[in-house]
């Protein structure tokens, strides 16, 4: 009985101990859970990394309670989860930073653009004001012509006028003449302005005053200034390919190999080449000496193109042939067929014609030296086509021969007109009137004067039964009607 009572007491003590132990464990578990909850709340407000660590510790502590074979795969991959959370946090932070920086940049850009716009508006306003004042000054200010004393001092050489002042005075006179009624000086006539303009142009460009006055009768003041400026501009060097010996692309390739810079002349020419630069003399290359090309100005292509001879049995007369540029072009178009009579008054000039024909390989040309004023009787009605590039004053090629500015007078221009009328009448008499269309002739000069062009043609139209034909050239400017409409 005592042993049994002792066992019971021991059992009761053990039960009490177990109860105390179990109660303490429950209290510790609840305390740990509350601590973990509090720690989780604090960590969520501070940093996400602490949450991940706590979760990992909890999961590890919880996994320790598993005893089956699934415990290995029940353990979460904390490292990947941590990296994923870290990347999300960094992405959010970078997005926030980029948004803030973008907002800052946009704001600064707007301010900068606004300031630039304000500055541009101020500058434009100032420019507009300045232009407005200048326009008012130009429109209201009256240009004063030089007095008679000032003009006399300039003519005597007492006062030297610089070119810049002459240029400015020419522009001022042109401005006055464009609206003469409103801008002229009181008491001054248009003739006085025109006289001063002609004198200033002659002084500035180095012409005889009578030549400038003659140009002013043909062109309006603005056109006269443009013509004088163009006459001082050098013309590019042009060569014509001799298709009797080579093609243009082959010639261009050969010259390019020698360092020559060139371009096709124009769309209207299939044989012309424009030389812009050359390290060697263009008139002394092997290609030139072998007759592959001819030095010839672009304007001299036009009379031959207008005459347009065709291969066959045509009989063509070149009344003023030397030095043979146009004659060889005629032979080139006729492909060395038919007959070309190359005439020139001076035998010494025909030497160059004969030499060029041999060099270029032309075989259908006969050279002769006759007075063109007698060819109408000598070869009456003999030729189907005639080219008359008549001797002239050269007022259209001043850029090639600047001596014309001071050597050519109006009397010489008038003499050239008389000679050209005689030559043209004889050329018409030498034309054949047989055939469906009769004979065709082309008259050309190197002058811009009306005395040598329109007046000559008008004279021939009254003296012979001929009519004008279209030249067939799709370039250039027709001035015939403009001239006559001006004087009707």
């Amino acid at each position: 009985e005592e042993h049994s009572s002792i066992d019971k007491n021991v059992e009761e003590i053990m039960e009490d101990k177990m109860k105390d132990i179990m109660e303490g464990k429950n209290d510790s578990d609840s305390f740990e859970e509350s601590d973990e909850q509090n720690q989780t709340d604090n960590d969520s407000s501070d940093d996400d990394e602490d949450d991940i660590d706590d979760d990992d510790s909890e999961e590890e502590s919880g996994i320790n309670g598993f005893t089956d074979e699934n415990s290995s795969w029940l353990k979460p991959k904390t490292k990947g989860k941590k990296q994923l959370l870290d990347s999300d946090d960094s992405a959010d932070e970078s997005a926030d930073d980029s948004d803030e920086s973008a907002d800052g940049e946009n704001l600064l850009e707007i301010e900068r653009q606004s300031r630039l716009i304000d500055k541009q508006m101020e500058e434009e306003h100032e420019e507009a004001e300045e232009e407005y004042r200048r326009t008012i000054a130009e429109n209201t200010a009256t240009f004063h012509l030089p007095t008679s004393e000032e003009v006399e001092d300039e003519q005597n050489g007492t006062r030297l006028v610089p070119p810049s002042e002459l240029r400015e005075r020419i522009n001022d006179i042109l401005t006055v003449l464009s609206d003469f009624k409103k801008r002229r000086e009181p008491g001054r006539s248009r003739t006085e302005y025109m006289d001063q303009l002609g004198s200033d142009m002659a002084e500035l460009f180095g012409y005889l005053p009578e030549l400038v006055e003659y140009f002013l009768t043909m062109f309006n003041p603005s056109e006269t200034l443009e013509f004088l400026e163009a006459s001082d501009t050098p013309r590019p060097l042009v060569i014509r390919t001799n298709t009797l010996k080579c093609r243009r692309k082959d010639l261009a390739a050969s010259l390019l190999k020698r360092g020559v810079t060139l371009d096709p002349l124009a769309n209207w020419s299939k044989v012309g080449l424009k030389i812009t630069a050359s390290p060697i003399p263009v008139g002394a290359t092997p290609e030139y000496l072998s007759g592959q090309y001819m030095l010839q100005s672009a304007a001299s292509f036009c009379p031959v193109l207008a005459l347009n001879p065709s291969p066959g049995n045509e009989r063509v007369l070149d009344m003023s042939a030397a030095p043979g540029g146009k004659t060889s072009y005629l032979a080139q178009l006729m492909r060395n067929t038919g007959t070309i009579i190359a005439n020139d008054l001076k035998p010494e000039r025909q030497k160059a014609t004969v030499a060029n024909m041999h060099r270029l390989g032309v075989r259908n040309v006969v050279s002769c030296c006759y007075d063109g004023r007698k060819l109408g009787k000598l070869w009456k009605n003999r030729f189907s086509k005639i080219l008359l590039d008549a001797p002239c004053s050269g007022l259209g090629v001043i850029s090639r021969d600047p001596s014309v500015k001071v050597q050519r007078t109006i009397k010489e221009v008038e003499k050239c007109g008389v000679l050209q009328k005689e030559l043209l009448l004889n050329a018409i008499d030498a034309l054949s009137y047989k055939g469906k269309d009769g004979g065709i002739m082309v008259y050309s000069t190197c002058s811009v004067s009306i005395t040598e062009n329109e007046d000559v043609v008008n004279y021939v139209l009254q003296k012979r039964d001929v009519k004008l034909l279209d030249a067939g050239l799709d370039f250039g400017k027709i001035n015939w009607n403009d001239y006559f409409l001006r004087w009707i």
Side-chain angles (χ1 to χ4, degrees):
E1 292 178 355
E2 290 178 357
H3 285 292
S4 62
S5 62
I6 291 170
D7 293 335
K8 290 180 180 179
N9 293 331
V10 171
E11 290 177 357
E12 291 177 357
I13 293 169
M14 290 298 292
E15 288 177 358
D16 294 335
K17 290 286 185 181
M18 290 298 294
K19 288 180 181 180
D20 294 335
I21 291 171
M22 293 300 293
E23 289 177 358
K25 184 177 181 180
N26 292 333
D27 293 337
S28 64
D29 291 340
S30 61
F31 179 75
E32 289 178 359
E33 290 177 358
S34 62
D35 289 341
E36 289 176 356
Q37 184 67 30
N38 294 332
Q39 184 68 24
T40 303
D41 294 338
N42 293 331
D43 291 342
S44 62
S45 61
D46 295 337
D47 194 356
D48 292 337
E49 294 181 356
D50 296 337
D51 293 341
I52 296 171
D53 295 335
D54 293 338
D55 291 341
D56 294 342
S57 63
E58 288 178 4
E59 290 174 355
E60 290 177 357
S61 62
I63 291 172
N64 292 332
F66 293 106
T67 58
D68 57 354
E69 60 185 3
N70 295 327
S71 61
S72 60
W73 63 268
L74 288 174
K75 184 177 179 180
K77 296 181 179 179
T78 57
K79 186 177 180 181
K81 181 177 179 182
K82 184 178 179 180
Q83 291 178 351
L84 181 61
L85 293 175
D86 290 340
S87 63
D88 292 340
D89 293 339
S90 62
D92 294 337
E93 291 176 359
S94 62
D96 295 337
D97 294 339
S98 62
D99 292 338
E100 292 176 359
S101 61
D103 292 338
E105 290 178 358
N106 291 334
L107 181 60
L108 294 175
E109 182 68 17
I110 291 173
E111 291 179 350
R112 188 175 66 83
Q113 292 293 337
S114 177
R115 292 175 182 176
L116 288 175
I117 291 173
D118 292 340
K119 186 176 180 180
Q120 290 177 358
M121 291 180 65
E122 291 178 0
E123 292 177 354
E124 291 177 358
H125 181 70
E126 292 176 358
E127 291 177 358
E129 288 289 338
E130 184 179 355
E131 184 177 359
Y132 178 71
R133 297 191 205 97
R134 184 172 60 252
T135 303
I136 292 178
E138 290 177 355
N139 293 332
T140 57
T142 302
F143 170 71
H144 297 280
L145 285 172
T147 61
S148 57
E149 292 80 6
E150 292 176 346
V151 172
E152 186 177 355
D153 292 340
E154 293 177 7
Q155 293 177 351
N156 296 334
T158 306
R159 178 177 179 270
L160 296 177
V161 183
S164 59
E165 184 177 343
L166 287 173
R167 171 72 69 173
E168 183 178 0
R169 194 157 66 186
I170 289 172
N171 293 331
D172 291 336
I173 294 175
L174 292 176
T175 303
V176 173
L177 293 175
S178 63
D179 192 2
F180 187 70
K181 292 183 179 179
K182 294 181 179 179
R183 298 180 178 178
R184 68 167 183 161
E185 185 180 356
R188 296 282 193 172
S189 64
R190 187 182 185 88
T191 304
E192 292 179 280
Y193 282 94
M194 293 296 294
D195 292 341
Q196 186 62 48
L197 178 63
S199 176
D200 290 344
M201 285 182 173
E203 181 67 23
L204 180 63
F205 294 99
Y207 282 81
L208 292 176
E210 58 180 327
L211 279 181
V212 177
E213 292 176 3
Y214 184 64
F215 293 147
L216 287 170
T217 60
M218 293 189 296
F219 311 118
N220 62 48
S222 299
E223 290 176 342
T224 303
L225 179 61
E226 292 178 4
F227 172 75
L228 297 179
E229 290 176 344
S231 297
D232 279 351
T233 304
R235 299 291 186 269
L237 179 63
V238 177
I239 62 175
R240 174 179 56 81
T241 307
N242 181 20
T243 55
L244 297 176
K245 289 193 172 185
C246 67
R247 295 180 298 179
R248 183 171 70 169
K249 65 177 183 179
D250 297 333
L251 174 62
S254 300
L255 294 177
L256 287 172
K257 291 180 181 179
R258 301 187 184 279
V260 178
T261 305
L262 51 83
D263 293 302
L265 176 59
N267 294 330
W268 51 266
S269 176
K270 297 180 180 180
V271 296
L273 288 172
K274 180 172 60 176
I275 308 296
T276 55
S278 175
I280 57 176
V282 181
T285 63
E287 289 79 11
Y288 175 81
L289 297 176
S290 62
Q292 295 184 25
Y293 64 87
M294 178 76 176
L295 294 173
Q296 190 172 352
S297 64
S300 63
F301 291 14
C302 300
V304 179
L305 294 175
L307 189 62
N308 192 25
S310 56
N313 296 322
E314 282 191 335
R315 188 177 295 174
V316 181
L317 170 63
D318 189 354
M319 290 187 65
S320 184
K326 298 180 183 65
T327 305
S328 60
Y329 196 9
L330 290 171
Q332 180 175 317
L333 295 179
M334 296 172 67
R335 300 177 186 175
N336 262 341
T337 61
T339 304
I340 300 175
I341 305 299
N343 179 72
D344 200 272
L345 178 62
K346 300 179 180 180
E348 59 272 15
R349 287 173 56 86
Q350 283 292 66
K351 293 180 181 180
T353 304
V354 174
N356 283 323
M357 296 306 107
H358 284 293
R359 182 177 61 85
L360 297 171
V362 176
R363 299 189 301 270
N364 63 339
V365 172
V366 178
S367 64
C368 58
C369 299
Y370 290 103
D371 188 350
R373 294 172 292 184
K374 299 178 181 179
L375 293 181
K377 296 179 179 179
L378 182 63
W379 293 325
K380 190 174 182 64
N381 307 127
R382 290 285 186 90
F383 301 96
S384 58
K385 292 184 177 180
I386 296 178
L387 173 61
L388 173 57
D389 186 36
C392 62
S393 62
L395 293 181
V397 289
I398 297 175
S399 60
R400 189 171 63 190
D401 184 12
S403 63
V404 174
K405 295 181 179 181
V406 294
Q407 292 181 359
R408 198 70 65 203
T409 62
I410 300 302
K411 289 185 178 180
E412 292 178 347
V413 174
E414 293 174 351
K415 289 180 180 179
C416 288
V418 174
L419 174 62
Q420 290 156 356
K421 290 175 183 178
E422 295 182 46
L423 292 173
L424 190 52
L425 288 177
N426 280 271
I428 293 173
D429 293 339
L431 270 178
S432 174
Y433 57 86
K434 297 179 181 179
K436 182 175 66 175
D437 297 329
I440 298 175
M441 76 157 299
V442 172
Y443 171 73
S444 64
T445 68
C446 295
S447 176
V448 297
S449 67
I450 296 172
T451 305
E452 299 175 88
N453 293 290
E454 287 83 355
D455 284 348
V456 174
V457 175
N458 190 35
Y459 174 81
V460 171
L461 290 174
Q462 297 174 2
K463 294 293 183 179
R464 295 292 187 270
D465 185 15
V466 294
K467 63 178 180 180
L468 293 177
L469 298 176
D470 184 22
L473 305 177
D474 57 353
F475 58 92
K477 184 178 179 182
I478 299 176
N479 289 323
W480 173 268
N481 293 334
D482 295 342
Y483 165 72
F484 278 102
L485 288 174
R486 185 181 300 177
W487 297 101
I488 290 178

